[in-house]
Amino acid sequence: MDLATYAAENGLKRVGARPPFIAYVKEAWGRRDFAWTLSSFTNKAANARNRLGRWWMVLTPAMQGVMYGLIFGVILGARNRPEHFISYLFCGVFLFSFMQGTFSNGATSVTGNAGLVKSLSFPRVLLPLSATIQQFINLVPQLGLLLITVAGDTAISGFGFPLTWKWLLFIPAMILMVLFGAGSSMLAARLTVQFSDLNKVIPFAFRIIFYSSGIFYSLDAILKNHPTIGAILKFNPFAAYINLVRGILIPGREATAELWLICAGWGILLPAVSLLLFWKVEERHGRED
Amino acid sequence: MVAKTKKAASNAGRKPVVVVDNAHVIYKVFGTGRKVTGNIAKGGLFTKKIRVREVHAVKGVSFTIYEGESVGIIGSNGSGKSSLMRAVAGLTPLAEGAVYAFARPSLLGVGAVLLPALSGERNIILGGLAMGFSKKEIQSKAEDITKFAGIEEFIDLPMRTYSSGMSARLRFAIAAARNHDILIIDEALAVGDQEFRAKSEARMREMRDQAGTVFLVSHSMKSILDTCNRVIWIEKGVLKMDGDPETVTNAYNDYIGSTTID
C-alpha cells in the first residue's frame, strides 16, 4: 500500500493544499480583524519615528497639493486650465495617490511581510487587503482636506453654500474606488509572485498614467480632436474615478451615467478577478525562490 | 529498508498523524556568476551570466509519525532539516511528493521576527489574530504570554530592539498560547537561556501529552533526549536514520566525530 492511500484511509489531508475558493474566502473573512489591525499598526509604526508623527498624514498631501498647484497653476501658466482649478487638482492628486498606493503597496505586501508569511499560516490575501486598508486610512485625512478645499473654493467663487444632497453620492463613489484599490492591490501581489522585476517598472508605469489621466489638465479639452484615443482613454479607471468624484463635488461638472458604469465595472470586476487569480497561486506565496 | 517494513508492521493499528511521502524540496535561485570551481582564473568579467541554479535541499524523504510521538530532527547544518520542516508546515511547496496531516502543522522558526517595527504587545495581538484568536481572546491572553516570555519591562518597545533571545522567547510564547495539534519548533529555543529552556521544554511536554505532536529541530542532543521519543536524522537531504532517540543520537555523534577527525 502506498503512503498516499494510507494517509487518505486514515483521514489525513494534504498539507498546504489550497482550500476551495468559498472556504478560502470564508477563512479570510473570519480573520478580517487581522487585516484591520495589521494596517492600523503598520500605519502607526510608519510615522512613529517622525517628530510630527501622524500629522504627516495631513501634511504630506497638503504639501503635495501646494507643490502641484505651484507648478501647474502658477509656473506653467493659466492657459487651458479647467475651472475651479484647485478643487480639480486636489481631486486628481489625492485620488491618484491612493490608487497608485494600493497597487505599489500591494505589490510588496506579501514579500515585505516575509516574517509573518514564514511563521504563520493564514489566508495570504489578507496581506494585500491590509495594504488597501492602510492606504485608505491614509486617504481619510486627505479626503477631509479635499472636501474643505472644494467647499471653500465653491463658496469663494460665488456658487453659494456648496453642501448639497449631491455630495452624498461621494460615499458610493469612494466605496467603488476602494474596491478597485483592493482589486489592484491583489493583482499586484499576484503579479509579483511571478515577476519580481515588476517593482522596478511600477514607478514608470504610474508616471505615464499620472501624465495621461488628466490630473492637472482637462483631458477632454486636449482629446477633442482625437475621438479614437479619447474613446479608449475613457475606460482608464484612474481617470474615470477622478472624474466621477470631480463630477460629484465641483460645480458645473457632471458625474455622468457613463462614468458611474465604468467605475462600477472596474470596482466589481477587478477585485473579483484578482481574488480568483490570487487564490490560484495561494500555495506559491511565501516560497523563497 | 528491512528495518522500515518491520516498523510498519509493528505500527499496525496506531493512528498516523503526519505522513511524509517522498518529499522533494528544490529551490530555484537566481544566481550571478559562476560556481566556484578549481580554476577560478578561467573566464573573466564577460563570461558571467545570470542563471537559475537549482538547489535540491530535500531528496525524497518519507516517514510516518503516529499519535503521541514527539520527534527530534537532527542533522548537520545545511542538511535540509529546516527545508523539510517548512514543507511539513506547508510553508514551502514541494517539488515532488506530498505531506499529509490530520491538522495543519504550525511552525515556530528561528528566522521569523514577526514585525520588527512594532512593539512586543502589538506583535502578540497580530500573531494571535493570525492564528485565529478573536481580538478579545488574544487581549485576555496577552498578559500571560508576556509573563511566559519574561519580557514585561520591554513589552512596549519595538521588537527590533529585542535581543535574539528575547524575541525567540516572545515568539515561542505567542505560539504556545494556543494548543497546536502539530507544532514544529525549529531551533527556536537555541538562543534562550537555561531557565527559559526548562520552561519551554516543560510546555512542549505538556503539549505532547495533550495529544499534540511536537517536532523539535535542534543541535542540542540534550534537548532532544529530554523531550523526544523518536528521532529522525537527515543528512544531505536524505533520511539517514529513524528510530529511538538513544540509538540515533549515538550514531549521529559517531558520524560527527568521524567526519571531524577526517
Side-chain angles (χ1 to χ4, degrees), chain B residues 5-258:
Chain B
T5 41
K6 229 170 40 191
K7 212 163 184 289
S10 71
N11 281 323
R14 291 175 70 193
K15 196 185 169 337
V17 287
V18 176
V19 172
V20 176
D21 180 12
N22 189 31
H24 284 266
V25 174
I26 299 175
Y27 296 114
K28 291 196 181 92
V29 188
F30 288 101
T32 37
R34 293 157 286 124
K35 233 180 183 171
V36 180
T37 50
N39 44 359
I40 296 174
K42 219 172 110 184
L45 186 65
F46 299 104
T47 57
K48 284 184 187 172
K49 41 185 162 181
I50 296 170
R51 60 176 135 192
V52 179
R53 271 197 59 194
E54 289 197 348
V55 180
H56 205 150
V58 178
K59 302 166 185 162
V61 172
S62 301
F63 56 80
T64 303
I65 306 294
Y66 298 90
E67 209 171 44
E69 283 185 320
S70 53
V71 186
I73 307 283
I74 57 174
S76 25
N77 286 137
S79 58
K81 305 183 294 288
S82 296
S83 297
L84 178 64
M85 287 301 109
R86 290 176 45 75
V88 170
L91 297 170
T92 296
L94 291 169
E96 203 184 306
V99 175
Y100 305 90
F102 86 99
R104 173 131 203 194
S106 317
L107 176 86
L108 181 57
V110 72
V113 179
L114 298 172
L115 290 154
L118 299 185
S119 69
E121 193 184 359
R122 287 182 170 168
N123 269 291
I124 292 176
I125 289 176
L126 275 177
L129 291 174
M131 287 195 301
F133 281 123
S134 76
K135 219 166 183 181
K136 257 198 193 129
E137 281 174 316
I138 191 65
Q139 269 160 355
S140 69
K141 278 176 195 284
E143 209 183 309
D144 286 342
I145 295 174
T146 316
K147 215 174 268 171
F148 188 91
I151 49 164
E152 290 95 330
E153 306 166 58
F154 311 109
I155 197 66
D156 53 335
L157 294 180
M159 234 174 131
R160 70 181 132 79
T161 63
Y162 287 16
S163 75
S164 49
M166 279 156 66
S167 66
R169 267 155 38 191
L170 181 60
R171 263 181 284 125
F172 180 81
I174 294 174
R178 207 184 89 178
N179 277 324
H180 297 270
D181 297 314
I182 303 165
L183 178 64
I184 304 170
I185 300 169
D186 188 355
E187 305 204 49
L189 308 175
V191 278
D193 53 25
Q194 272 303 318
E195 187 204 339
F196 184 75
R197 211 181 280 196
K199 206 156 65 168
S200 51
E201 280 173 8
R203 177 75 183 110
M204 271 155 58
R205 279 191 290 269
E206 201 180 299
M207 276 193 263
R208 184 188 68 199
D209 296 341
Q210 285 160 356
T213 302
V214 179
F215 287 84
L216 175 65
V217 180
S218 180
H219 287 289
S220 155
M221 292 306 134
K222 194 178 168 299
S223 295
I224 297 263
L225 288 170
D226 283 352
T227 44
C228 303
N229 51 22
R230 179 173 169 188
V231 172
I232 289 174
W233 172 13
I234 307 283
E235 201 60 55
K236 296 199 176 87
V238 290
L239 193 150
K240 187 135 182 173
M241 209 174 178
D242 178 1
D244 70 282
E246 211 115 310
T247 323
V248 181
T249 47
N250 282 342
Y252 177 65
N253 282 334
D254 288 348
Y255 173 83
I256 301 261
S258 69

Side-chain angles (χ1 to χ4, degrees), chain A residues 196-229:
Chain A
S196 43
D197 303 19
L198 188 69
N199 281 327
K200 304 284 177 202
V201 189
I202 290 173
F204 296 103
F206 273 100
R207 275 294 100 173
I208 295 171
I209 300 173
F210 181 81
Y211 289 119
S212 60
S213 295
I215 309 283
F216 51 86
Y217 60 89
S218 168
L219 208 54
D220 298 340
I222 286 180
L223 290 174
K224 232 179 252 165
N225 304 321
H226 305 277
T228 340
I229 303 175

